[in-house]
């Protein structure tokens, strides 16, 4: 047996499957040409962040638009950083935003798809089979360096300003013989398995990133760790093996990984795999004090995905917003195609920001208002109730107790050419509908201050007399106008402006008092529709109580 083979057997005697076996087990996918196979590959270290949701949105969009595959792989090789129920937290975060994975984990223990297991801790034997093959070819070796030795190397490299890592003179175990390795292993010495990098110090590599374009970097010369002391893989090695065997075509990930691309491309090459396309996403930025900084998990509540579901931004509005962050030409497209589905937009990696998209909550809010104002009353009802069920019990109960009434409220000024944009998120709804519900309304009245109390009382009393719940929308305002004129108000603001001394005010002031008396507010959607929704008894009772309040 040649000595590399002997070494491979020594290290991985129990591994019987070969890379060829796995190639057969996970064949090329049978998809259309150009289909994007991509993944989201989080470590289960806590809740889902906006950056992760954004990267997933990009992955899902790219896969969907090419009839490809988007899958969820759990990268749990670092057991120290893991949190309990980490996978559930991630899956729940996605569910709230309607992201569905075609394959991969969908709960702590369940997965779908035939390219699994989709959890790295369940793939140890697979990684070992591939490392074994590298050892057989003399491309990997066991390294027995102790923590102290490694620390001494780090210190020397720092002091002499050398490239950090294990290479050249620092790669002490590069030429280790089978005999020495065997002796040490028998002795119980711990070891990692390192790559024997064929990289040359002055060579450079080039690759084309989907977002950043052509990139040139020094070739990798480091003997990076492939398997840790406990036999589990490093990120570098797991990435290469998994993305090959899961037949990933596009690796979409954060741009903190760009500096590792030379290692990854070298590993793909040495393992005999075709490298995927890389798409490195810049971090989402936020404006602060005139400058820009990364959206921070620690400082920014909006960095947690739960922020959006708790506030109640509808999923469709968050998608719209994400697409504006993703492709700068989306907004123009949306203006030109207001009725089209977001899926009709041609998303491209190359139009993504190289510098990092700027997060803007005001813009999200505007987009969300636009989105919500186009929904039907039924859709609004369903979405608000869904949200309230988990986030606002009181509202949930009110909405369910009288579904028809709630839908009538949401129907006010909806479905016309210029719908109102009062609601940006479902947590705005309680305040928006409050005066329709005695349980929510405090009964306080905010009256305009340009009329005397007596004038206001007169208006409300008169209105009580002429109020006709059977009047149509067309009849209603002329009735108010007629009453206003009788009481000494101008029939239009223009007329009042011309001769202000001839009038107490104008019809708008009169309608304003009725509005405040009935709703408590100076500003509301269409008053006629509100009166019709409240119904006669409630309107009269509110007019009465307003008079009482004014009389003090
Ligand atoms: N587990 C890696 C991370 O969370 C994934 C990077 C990748 O997508 O390859 O950063």
């Amino acid at each position: 047996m040649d000595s590399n083979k002997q070494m491979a057997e020594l290290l991985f005697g129990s591994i019987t499957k070969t890379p060829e076996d796995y190639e057969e087990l996970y064949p090329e996918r049978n998809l259309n040409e150009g289909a994007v196979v991509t993944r989201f590959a989080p470590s289960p270290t806590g809740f889902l962040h906006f950056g992760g949701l954004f990267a997933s949105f990009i992955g899902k969009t790219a896969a969907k638009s090419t009839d490809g595959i988007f899958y969820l792989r759990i990268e749990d090789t670092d057991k120290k950083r893991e949190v309990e129920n980490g996978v559930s937290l991630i899956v729940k975060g996605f569910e709230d935003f309607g992201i569905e994975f075609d394959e991969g984990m969908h709960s702590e223990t369940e997965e779908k798809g035939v390219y699994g297991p989709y959890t790295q801790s369940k793939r140890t034997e697979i990684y070992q089979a591939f490392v074994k093959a590298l050892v057989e070819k003399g491309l990997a070796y066991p390294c027995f360096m102790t923590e102290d030795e490694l620390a001494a190397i780090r210190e020397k490299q720092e002091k002499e300003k050398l490239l950090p890592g294990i290479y050249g003179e620092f790669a002490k175990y590069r030429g280790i013989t089978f005999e020495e390795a065997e002796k040490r292993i028998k002795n119980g010495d711990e070891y990692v398995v390192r790559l024997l990098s064929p990289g040359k110090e002055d060579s450079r590599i080039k690759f084309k990133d989907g977002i950043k374009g052509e990139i040139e970097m020094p070739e990798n010369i480091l003997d990076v760790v492939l398997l840790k002391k406990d036999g589990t893989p490093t990120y570098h090695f797991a990435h290469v093996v998994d993305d090959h065997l899961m037949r990933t075509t596009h690796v979409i990930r954060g741009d903190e990984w760009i500096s590792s691309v030379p290692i990854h491309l070298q590993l793909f090459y040495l393992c005999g795999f075709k490298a995927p396309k890389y798409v490195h996403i810049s971090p989402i930025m936020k404006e602060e004090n005139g400058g820009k900084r990364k959206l921070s998990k620690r400082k920014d509540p909006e960095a947690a995905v739960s922020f959006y579901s708790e506030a109640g931004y509808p999923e469709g509005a968050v998608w719209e917003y994400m697409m504006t962050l993703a492709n700068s030409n989306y907004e123009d497209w949306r203006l030109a195609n207001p009725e089209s589905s977001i899926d009709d937009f041609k998303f491209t990696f190359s139009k993504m920001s190289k510098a990092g998209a700027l997060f803007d909550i005001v813009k999200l809010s505007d987009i969300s208002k636009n989105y919500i104002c186009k929904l039907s009353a039924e859709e609004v009802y369903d979405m608000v109730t869904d949200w309230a069920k988990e986030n606002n019990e009181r509202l949930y109960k009110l909405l369910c107790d009288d579904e028809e009434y709630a839908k009538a409220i949401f129907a006010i000024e909806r479905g016309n050419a210029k719908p109102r944009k009062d609601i940006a998120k479902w947590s705005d709804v309680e305040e928006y509908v409050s005066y329709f519900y005695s349980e929510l309304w405090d009964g306080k009245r905010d009256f305009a201050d340009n009329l005397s109390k007596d004038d206001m009382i007169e208006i409300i009393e008169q209105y009580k007399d002429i109020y006709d719940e059977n009047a149509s929308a067309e009849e209603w305002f002329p009735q108010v106008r007629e009453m206003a004129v009788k009481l000494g108000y101008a029939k239009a603001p223009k007329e009042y402006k011309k001769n202000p001394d001839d009038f107490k005010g104008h019809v708008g002031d009169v309608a304003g008092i009725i509005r405040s008396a009935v709703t408590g507010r100076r500003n509301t959607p269409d008053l006629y529709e509100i009166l019709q929704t409240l119904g006669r008894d409630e309107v009269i009772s509110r007019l009465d109580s307003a008079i009482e309040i004014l009389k003090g």
Side-chain angles (χ1 to χ4, degrees), residues 458-478:
E458 187 183 32
I459 290 171
I460 300 169
E461 278 175 343
Q462 285 292 312
Y463 184 67
K464 258 184 77 182
D465 288 346
I466 69 146
Y467 167 62
D468 171 11
E469 73 273 23
N470 296 316
S472 70
E474 292 70 35
E475 289 160 351
W476 178 77
F477 197 70

Side-chain angles (χ1 to χ4, degrees), residues 39 41-43 75 235 252-253 256-257:
R39 78 296 191 275
S43 304
E75 307 215 323
Y235 167 74
I252 303 173
R253 62 184 179 187
E256 70 273 18
W257 292 111

